[in-house]
Amino acid sequence: MTPSRRTLLTLFAAAGMVSATRGIAQPRAGGSGGADLLPLWPGKAPGAPATLPVRKVNERSKDPSFHDRWITSIAQPALVVRPAAKPNGAAVMLVPGGGYGFLSYDNEGEEQARWLNARGVTAFILLYRLPDEGWSDRSLVPLQDAQRGMRLIRAHAGRFGIEANRVAVLGFSAGGHLAGSLATRHAEPTYAPVDATDRLPARPDLAGLIYPVVSLSASFTHGGSRDNLLGAGADDAARKRASVELGVTETTPPIFLAHSSDDGTVPIQNSLALYQAMLAAGRPAELHAFDQGGHGFGVRLAADKPASIWPTLFAAYGARQGVFRA
């Protein structure tokens, strides 16, 4: 039996991911049009090890018409561009989750790009480096890629018909932690500038966090994500620095949160903590707490599950914030 995502995320608390794969491939699947692959860095990414990891793709689907890929060992982080057939000027950088031990590429990348494309939104799937694969400054590695990705989207705004002030980030699970970190730490210098792109702002105009890991210091944290990002021996100061709810300031963009109370992997207290921090700072935020949905549902929930409505709610919130079209 193929282990569930929840089982593997739990195992990440003690070890990194080791899995058999059905071969290594570029993660390309049908979108609403052609796709470009935008490398994040002009050369090697910051803090590259002497021997770079070799990308692995674990295809979990048994149905040849349906992809469900998990990706590890990303040496060359990039943005996979999924343009809308009728772009309206908005863009979203998608950040898949996976406990900082893998990327749930289809569930929280390609499938999200399709519904965004249908609404005229150009999607960019962030293939970010995983911290426990030999990189220096492991705790900053994903944030380096997220900051660079947001700047790169703005640098190519004209090419893709994007308005540079209508760029959101949408992250899931540990990808929600990374999206939240970008929202609260967008101005933090995490790498030495490499070109003119790094003069552009990394602050998203809107952040959507779906069943996110938020706190790395509270009792309700997801231990696997914490340890994969920081290392198992990280002290309390490091855990607090990486806790999204403790980094909210007056520059934090509007945040949309969706979480299920029956999430047995990442407790809903994570979203509650960030929502409370946003309210305390006087920052705009919207929280949707559902009684059913579990964890890792993406857009795969049946219509009778309450949490299945989250994309409609997120689009409506984005429209009210001026990022999406009403």
Side-chain angles (χ1 to χ4, degrees), residues 143-278:
L143 184 56
Q144 290 170 346
D145 289 348
Q147 288 180 341
R148 178 72 180 180
M150 185 60 64
R151 291 171 173 140
L152 198 63
I153 291 170
R154 291 196 166 108
H156 289 269
R159 173 182 171 187
F160 294 109
I162 295 165
E163 296 177 28
N165 62 346
R166 297 176 58 206
V167 184
V169 65
L170 178 59
F172 303 80
S173 193
H177 179 269
L178 181 50
S181 298
L182 181 64
T184 54
R185 302 170 69 185
H186 51 85
E188 180 180 327
T190 63
Y191 62 89
V194 297
D195 56 27
T197 294
D198 291 321
R199 292 197 290 268
L200 297 173
R203 179 185 182 273
D205 298 297
L206 168 69
L209 280 57
I210 313 304
Y211 41 84
V213 177
V214 169
S215 182
L216 299 191
S217 60
S219 60
F220 49 78
T221 190
H222 180 254
S225 297
R226 178 198 63 208
D227 293 348
N228 276 332
L229 180 64
L230 304 178
D235 60 22
D236 189 57
R239 294 179 180 188
K240 286 181 177 178
R241 273 196 307 273
S243 292
V244 177
E245 81 281 12
L246 300 180
V248 174
T249 70
E250 67 277 2
T251 68
T252 302
I255 290 181
F256 173 95
L257 294 152
H259 219 127
S260 294
S261 57
D262 65 349
D263 189 331
T265 302
V266 177
I268 195 172
Q269 282 85 351
N270 283 270
S271 285
L272 295 174
L274 181 52
Y275 184 62
Q276 291 172 339
M278 291 289 284

Side-chain angles (χ1 to χ4, degrees), residues 5 12 21 46-47 57 66 94 96 126 130 132 184 207 215 228 251 284 302 305 315-316 324:
R5 171 173 171 158
F12 286 157
T21 70
V57 179
F66 173 75
L94 293 164
L126 181 65
L130 300 170
D132 193 21
T184 54
S215 182
N228 276 332
T251 68
K305 294 293 185 182
F324 301 145

